[in-house]
Amino acid sequence: MFRAGACLGLLFLVAPVRAEPKVDFAHDIVPILRTRCAACHTNGKYKGSFSLDSRAEVLKKRAAVPGNSGASTLYKRITSSDPEERMPSKAEPLTARQIALLKAWIDQGLTWEEGFSFKATAYVAPLKPRRPTLPPGGPEHPIDRILAAYDATQKLTAPAALDDVAFLRRIYLDVIGLLPTPAEVDGFLKDTSADKRTRVVRDLLDDKRAYAEHWLTFWNDLLRNDYAGTGYIDGGRTQITAWLYQSLLDNKPYDRFVRELINPERESEGFIKGIKWRGNVNASQVQELQFAQNVAQVFFGVNLKCASCHDSFIDSWKLADAYSLAAVVADRTLELYRCDKPTGKKASARFLFPELGDIDAGQPKAKRLEQLAGLVTQPDNGRFTRTIANRVWQRLFGHGIVHPVDVMANRPWSDDLLDYLAVYLADQKFDLKKLIEHIVTSRAYQAQAAPIPKEPAGEDYVFRGPELKRLTAEQFMDAIWMLTKTAPAKAVAPIRLPDFAANVPAERRFLRAALVNADALQRSLGRPNREQVVTTRPDQLSTLQALDLSNGQILADTLARGTANLMKANPNATAESLIEDIYLRALCRRPSSDETAAARELLGAPVTADGLADLLWAVVMLPEFQLVR
């Protein structure tokens, strides 16, 4: 078949090698860089114009080439035999172990803790809410008014607006995770009313089932909820699927949603329970510390993982902070362990931001959790609303206002925009659908995607508009199933699915990928196992993904079944009608004359099953199909 001969040069022989131990950035690399390199190459002092402040800086000028220490200037300089070249200069050479760690770090991909920098900052993230004053004049939409002032400051011209077809495809994929049908595209193009974009946004948000099943993926990742995997068989882990799905169907206010997670009933208790790992685990992995890590990360954008073992190397959080939050949920007195060794000190329940209020450590666990839930969601906690507003913005635009989304201590590229969205959410009584609607009805959202920057985005990031986003694994499979009518017949999620609304097109009445277990293809495309909180997925195509898409058996079998379905449903269809139908349903447009001619060659004369499968594969491999533009 065509696919077998079009592997894009990705097939290669791999000799078996012994894997090197995984290097830990925070524990293995930061201490070396801080003690041996930072004095000359960080925080404003950059000898030889070389900066170690961030990963983006290290990548410049090929100072380090991920996966190739031999081509990396950094490695060459620390191993040079020439005293004029060797670094650090005028100091003892690095030890053999330090050199080996840095070599392995580069060869293993130059991992870096997201958001970490050696560069000191005077910025302190605010805690309480702030209602910014909107700039005078300019666009009517508050988001666009704030961004018009931002563009003026940055001397930027706002990007041009999307055309109707591109907008419709983007809004469908972002709000309900599905492609529009040809009939919906045609109806939208024929509609001449000025408010048609606003109305389609409202219609999509009102499709409760489609909305819930799309955003279920976002929340399953964030709340590390799944249907199979570690802990579910032996009772060491509890699903929250039924509660979560119903909460999304009901559009439960976000503050209530979070209170029910932190101070839970039986159906929602799985999040704070975490995973009870079998056998002995590091002290930082016990369920109480998982609670502290997950609550801090998900709702505040705070990383307590390092601080669960020792005072953090990468930010200001202390071991006592992690244990104090863990003590809120503990059924026993918690002793602090530093690097897995007991300290003799006992933890007392305390909130991460004590200026907002206290937790009475003497109260029973249920009361402590009630107090914590109230502190997390109280009106004075602007960190709570900023964090979710930033996550929603990142989901829709491809880049957070604060980046990374789990480092909310970083300076936002627009304080006013972040504060405005956070206050807007609170004003709307924590209605996340209203927040989404407000964002996607702005000109900013409806603008053409910005070019991909040549250099990695760092602290000098400038907002130029929405970024290209890859379809998630679930979006990709839903689009394939919708195109080929090959969706599975049975959900594994333990929920009762509501009936489809009467106005939902027949093409969208199928079981969604979010409701079934991940297969090998979905895993390859980035669907995580959810043993850890996942707030963003990789956005770069990996070699494994390319191989699975070009030659993987699961996709090949799906397209073969889809071919049989299409040929059975259209026994008398011409080649031209099949080509046009596939392009309309996959790409929301008709094929060009050149595309039609190339597709005819694939289909054969008469049309063959292999030819139709190859055409389907060729279309779904297009970046136009795989990206949200």
Side-chain angles (χ1 to χ4, degrees):
M1 296 176 71
F2 178 79
R3 291 187 299 283
C7 298
L8 310 176
L10 290 172
L11 296 181
F12 47 86
L13 297 176
V14 179
V17 294
R18 186 173 65 183
E20 289 183 328
K22 187 70 174 175
V23 174
D24 183 280
F25 174 73
H27 293 85
D28 296 330
I29 303 303
V30 170
I32 299 173
L33 299 182
R34 194 185 296 280
T35 59
R36 303 307 310 275
C37 310
C40 296
H41 299 288
T42 67
N43 200 30
K45 191 173 182 181
Y46 308 120
K47 286 191 175 181
S49 301
F50 173 46
S51 169
L52 279 169
D53 279 342
S54 65
R55 188 177 191 270
E57 292 295 325
V58 174
L59 290 174
K60 291 180 179 178
K61 301 179 183 178
R62 295 176 66 86
V65 180
N68 190 349
S69 58
S72 301
T73 303
L74 173 61
Y75 183 70
K76 292 176 181 177
R77 296 295 291 272
I78 63 175
T79 57
S80 175
S81 58
D82 183 345
E84 296 296 322
E85 289 287 326
R86 180 186 54 78
M87 292 293 168
S89 62
K90 300 178 182 178
E92 289 295 315
L94 269 60
T95 66
R97 172 168 170 73
Q98 289 172 330
I99 290 172
L101 283 170
L102 289 174
K103 180 181 187 300
W105 173 54
I106 296 170
D107 288 337
Q108 292 174 15
L110 203 77
T111 56
W112 195 284
E113 190 74 28
E114 269 205 305
F116 172 72
S117 175
F118 285 102
K119 189 174 183 179
T121 176
Y123 176 75
V124 177
L127 181 57
K128 294 194 175 183
R130 179 180 73 95
R131 189 180 298 275
T133 301
L134 293 177
E140 180 180 348
H141 198 295
I143 291 174
D144 295 323
R145 193 178 298 182
I146 292 170
L147 288 176
Y150 174 86
D151 286 346
T153 301
Q154 298 291 331
K155 296 181 173 57
L156 295 173
T157 300
L162 284 171
D163 62 47
D164 278 349
V165 172
F167 164 77
L168 199 66
R169 193 174 191 274
R170 180 189 290 178
I171 197 66
Y172 267 72
L173 287 168
D174 278 348
V175 175
I176 64 170
L178 295 171
L179 294 169
T181 67
E184 287 168 328
V185 175
D186 187 56
F188 190 72
L189 291 176
K190 290 177 179 176
D191 189 344
T192 58
S193 56
D195 67 340
K196 66 178 185 179
R197 293 193 176 192
T198 301
R199 283 189 289 106
V200 79
V201 169
R202 187 69 261 163
D203 289 345
L204 291 174
L205 290 169
D206 284 343
D207 187 342
K208 294 182 179 180
R209 177 167 174 171
Y211 170 88
E213 291 173 5
H214 172 53
W215 288 87
L216 185 65
T217 291
F218 173 83
W219 287 109
N220 274 343
D221 283 7
L222 207 58
L223 302 176
R224 73 181 200 176
N225 180 61
D226 218 326
Y227 320 128
T230 301
Y232 286 124
I233 294 176
D234 61 10
R237 188 177 181 187
T238 306
Q239 284 193 47
I240 62 169
T241 308
W243 172 87
L244 177 56
Y245 187 77
Q246 192 62 49
S247 296
L248 293 172
L249 283 175
D250 296 342
N251 191 32
K252 187 173 290 179
Y254 183 62
D255 58 340
R256 179 182 161 198
F257 177 93
V258 173
R259 284 195 293 271
E260 291 180 11
L261 285 168
I262 293 177
N263 183 31
E265 300 295 334
R266 185 179 59 83
E267 281 198 331
S268 59
E269 68 182 2
F271 172 68
I272 68 166
K273 280 189 170 182
I275 299 174
K276 185 177 182 180
W277 299 100
R278 288 187 291 180
N280 294 325
V281 298
N282 184 286
S284 67
Q285 296 174 300
V286 299
Q287 286 178 288
E288 296 90 346
L289 268 298
Q290 291 177 36
F291 166 85
Q293 294 162 12
N294 295 342
V295 168
Q297 180 179 0
V298 173
F299 304 126
F300 302 133
V302 166
N303 181 352
L304 288 185
K305 290 179 181 177
C306 283
S308 298
C309 191
H310 48 73
D311 291 349
S312 178
F313 296 154
I314 60 174
D315 54 36
S316 61
W317 295 103
K318 306 297 183 185
L319 182 68
D321 297 320
Y323 270 87
S324 294
L325 186 56
V328 175
V329 77
D331 291 311
R332 58 192 171 93
T333 301
L334 281 185
E335 180 178 5
L336 276 67
Y337 277 67
R338 184 179 300 278
C339 298
D340 220 25
K341 296 180 180 178
T343 66
K345 299 178 180 178
K346 308 299 181 184
S348 181
R350 179 170 54 83
F351 189 39
L352 286 177
F353 307 107
E355 55 266 55
L356 294 178
D358 297 323
I359 293 172
D360 186 346
Q363 292 292 322
K365 181 173 79 171
K367 189 65 177 179
R368 298 196 303 268
L369 288 172
E370 180 184 343
Q371 291 175 348
L372 176 62
L375 289 170
V376 168
T377 60
Q378 68 151 291
D380 275 350
N381 192 351
R383 187 66 170 266
F384 173 65
T385 46
R386 288 186 187 96
T387 299
I388 187 59
N390 191 54
R391 293 195 190 285
V392 171
W393 182 275
Q394 187 276 336
R395 180 80 169 194
L396 297 171
F397 279 78
H399 192 285
I401 303 169
V402 175
H403 180 82
V405 292
D406 287 334
V407 189
M408 288 299 291
N410 282 354
R411 183 186 290 277
W413 53 261
S414 173
D415 301 80
D416 281 354
L417 179 60
L418 181 61
D419 286 337
Y420 168 77
L421 293 175
V423 170
Y424 179 87
L425 176 61
D427 288 346
Q428 301 303 316
K429 299 180 180 178
F430 296 91
D431 186 328
L432 287 175
K433 282 190 177 182
K434 287 186 177 178
L435 177 64
I436 293 168
E437 180 178 16
H438 194 55
I439 292 172
V440 301
T441 52
S442 68
R443 290 184 196 171
Y445 172 82
Q446 297 179 25
Q448 293 179 9
I452 298 173
K454 294 180 180 179
E455 296 290 342
E459 60 184 20
D460 297 326
Y461 171 82
V462 175
F463 175 76
R464 289 181 169 84
E467 296 184 358
L468 294 175
K469 305 190 296 286
R470 288 185 59 206
L471 296 180
T472 64
E474 292 86 345
Q475 285 175 314
F476 181 84
M477 293 312 303
D478 284 342
I480 295 289
W481 294 342
M482 187 171 167
L483 180 64
T484 59
K485 299 178 173 60
T486 52
K490 185 177 180 181
V492 298
I495 53 180
R496 181 182 179 277
L497 296 172
D499 293 333
F500 289 103
N503 62 342
V504 172
E507 296 98 315
R508 288 213 298 274
R509 294 171 179 255
F510 66 92
L511 192 66
R512 302 283 294 272
L515 299 171
V516 300
N517 283 332
D519 57 21
L521 177 58
Q522 287 196 55
R523 294 282 188 224
S524 170
L525 293 175
R527 180 166 166 173
N529 61 20
R530 295 174 179 144
E531 291 175 358
Q532 303 292 331
V533 167
V534 177
T535 57
T536 56
R537 296 187 186 182
D539 58 3
Q540 299 297 317
L541 185 71
S542 70
T543 301
L544 175 61
Q545 290 167 354
L547 286 168
D548 277 340
L549 291 173
S550 62
N551 260 353
Q553 195 61 50
I554 293 175
L555 182 58
D557 289 346
T558 301
L559 295 180
R561 287 187 288 115
T563 295
N565 291 340
L566 292 176
M567 295 188 79
K568 181 178 179 180
N570 305 281
N572 301 315
T574 64
E576 285 74 13
S577 64
L578 282 171
I579 294 166
E580 181 169 293
D581 179 65
I582 289 170
Y583 268 77
L584 283 171
R585 292 194 292 123
L587 306 177
C588 304
R589 66 170 177 84
R590 288 177 169 79
S592 68
S593 57
D594 287 345
E595 287 170 330
T596 299
R600 277 202 206 99
E601 288 189 29
L602 284 179
L603 288 177
V607 173
T608 65
D610 279 354
L612 183 53
D614 286 339
L615 175 59
L616 286 170
W617 177 84
V619 170
V620 302
M621 289 302 101
L622 292 172
E624 185 179 352
F625 179 82
Q626 296 190 21
L627 296 174
V628 184
R629 292 182 172 273

